[in-house]
Amino acid sequence: MGTSRQSGPWSEKGSAGKAAENNASSASCCYRCIECNQEATELYRDYNHGVLKITICKSCQKPVDKYIEYDPVIILINAILCKAQAYRHILFNTKINIHGKLCIFCLLCEAYLRWLQLQDSSQHIDPDDLIRYAKEWDFYRMFTIASLEQMAFFIGIFAGLWLIQPTTLRRKSNFILLLKALLLSSYGKLLLIPAVIWEHDYTPLCLRLIKVFVLTSNSQAVRVTLNISRKLSLLTILSGLVLESSVVCFFQRMGWDVESDCSIYKT
Ligand SMILES: [Zn+2]
């Protein structure tokens, strides 16, 4: 429980540990206990002579954040397993600031996948295909459509939350934190690229599993961020999916070849 350590092991903790150390310098920042979600003022206390002691949660009597000692790979594995403690560590107790870049990269992956599907689905030889710029514009179009669908999904989640439990989004900080959590928890979309590169007979199944994994991660992120029930978080994800599907339906009625998730996963 209350472990005292020399400074040696702490210097080898990796990025999570370093982030926590940086966090410790800002005393005004609030952390969360990864076990019970109770707020905490510090993750560990730095005594003289390099002796550090992990803070114990006053509510549940467990270490506030055991993951500050863990290797980042272990934390990532726990996050992949959708453990709420790992999500709380990443979302509340670290200063990970890659959600914007990650979102752009995920959208690029998705746009690339749709662009590939578009090339495969075009049976006829269009003279425009001979022009490189036409293909390039197709990619930009897919990127824009993927972005709009992603936006619709998030708006659907926020709208669902607003309708079901309006008190959760009254604080601006909750809104921003939830948006960051949703962007971070969509990291599973990075798997789209290897799934396409190592193409085989089970690729459509892989794409469906990736979609399920991303939705599960999103649901867990909503649940942990707002500290709501699993049922409510699933409902919000469902409302996001409904709005996203409506947008896809609208695009298809407009006659746009969107190659969206639905059309990809139906193959
Ligand atoms: Zn606790």
Side-chain angles (χ1 to χ4, degrees):
M1 298 294 285
T3 52
S4 296
R5 290 173 175 273
Q6 296 300 319
S7 58
W10 287 83
S11 60
E12 298 170 5
K13 287 194 307 291
S15 60
K18 285 172 188 168
E21 284 172 19
N22 291 336
N23 291 350
S25 60
S26 56
S28 59
C29 190
C30 261
Y31 304 104
R32 298 278 183 94
C33 170
I34 62 166
E35 303 291 342
C36 68
N37 205 42
Q38 188 73 26
E39 288 190 352
T41 52
E42 58 184 7
L43 300 180
Y44 63 90
R45 183 156 292 183
D46 190 356
Y47 294 95
N48 289 334
H49 311 298
V51 177
L52 302 166
K53 188 177 179 183
I54 293 179
T55 307
I56 301 299
C57 175
K58 291 171 185 170
S59 177
C60 66
Q61 304 303 316
K62 290 179 180 173
V64 169
D65 191 345
K66 63 183 179 185
Y67 283 118
I68 60 172
E69 285 190 301
Y70 283 35
D71 192 89
V73 176
I74 304 292
I75 298 169
L76 179 65
I77 290 170
N78 283 329
I80 290 171
L81 293 172
C82 285
K83 287 194 173 182
Q85 290 93 336
Y87 273 71
R88 287 195 189 105
H89 166 76
I90 294 167
L91 295 174
F92 298 126
N93 298 342
T94 62
K95 292 286 182 190
I96 291 177
N97 195 26
I98 57 165
H99 45 273
K101 290 174 189 167
L102 185 66
C103 175
I104 299 290
F105 195 68
C106 287
L107 286 173
L108 285 172
C109 291
E110 201 164 341
Y112 176 68
L113 176 66
R114 293 178 184 209
W115 179 75
L116 274 183
Q117 299 275 334
L118 189 69
Q119 303 302 313
D120 292 345
S121 64
S122 56
Q123 300 294 326
H124 61 282
I125 300 170
D126 191 338
D128 283 346
D129 283 352
L130 300 173
I131 306 170
R132 184 167 57 89
Y133 294 114
K135 289 187 174 181
E136 196 176 319
W137 274 109
D138 273 343
F139 180 79
Y140 295 144
R141 188 164 63 87
M142 288 299 144
F143 181 80
T144 308
I145 289 169
S147 306
L148 289 173
E149 286 177 20
Q150 178 84 84
M151 208 182 297
F153 177 64
F154 289 165
I155 290 172
I157 290 175
F158 285 113
L161 268 172
W162 188 260
L163 287 173
I164 300 166
Q165 199 167 321
T167 51
T168 50
L169 288 179
R170 276 190 185 153
R171 286 170 60 187
K172 189 184 171 187
S173 57
N174 273 0
F175 181 86
I176 295 170
L177 193 62
L178 180 59
L179 185 61
K180 285 182 180 176
L182 284 171
L183 292 173
L184 273 180
S185 62
S186 299
Y187 69 96
K189 286 183 180 176
L190 299 177
L191 296 170
L192 290 172
I193 295 300
V196 172
I197 290 174
W198 297 317
E199 188 177 4
H200 51 72
D201 295 341
Y202 297 105
T203 299
L205 177 65
C206 287
L207 295 179
R208 281 194 200 98
L209 289 174
I210 290 169
K211 180 77 176 174
V212 170
F213 174 68
V214 171
L215 291 176
T216 309
S217 301
N218 288 153
S219 170
Q220 186 71 322
V222 173
R223 188 170 83 90
V224 165
T225 306
L226 301 176
N227 200 26
I228 57 177
S229 66
R230 187 173 279 113
K231 188 180 168 185
L232 185 55
S233 65
L234 285 173
L235 272 175
T236 57
I237 295 297
L238 193 64
S239 67
L241 272 178
V242 168
L243 190 62
E244 186 187 356
S245 303
S246 306
V247 169
V248 171
C249 193
F250 172 74
F251 287 155
Q252 285 174 337
R253 283 192 174 215
M254 295 280 286
W256 297 356
D257 203 357
V258 295
E259 298 293 339
S260 69
D261 286 351
C262 298
S263 53
I264 289 169
Y265 300 145
K266 277 175 187 170
T267 55

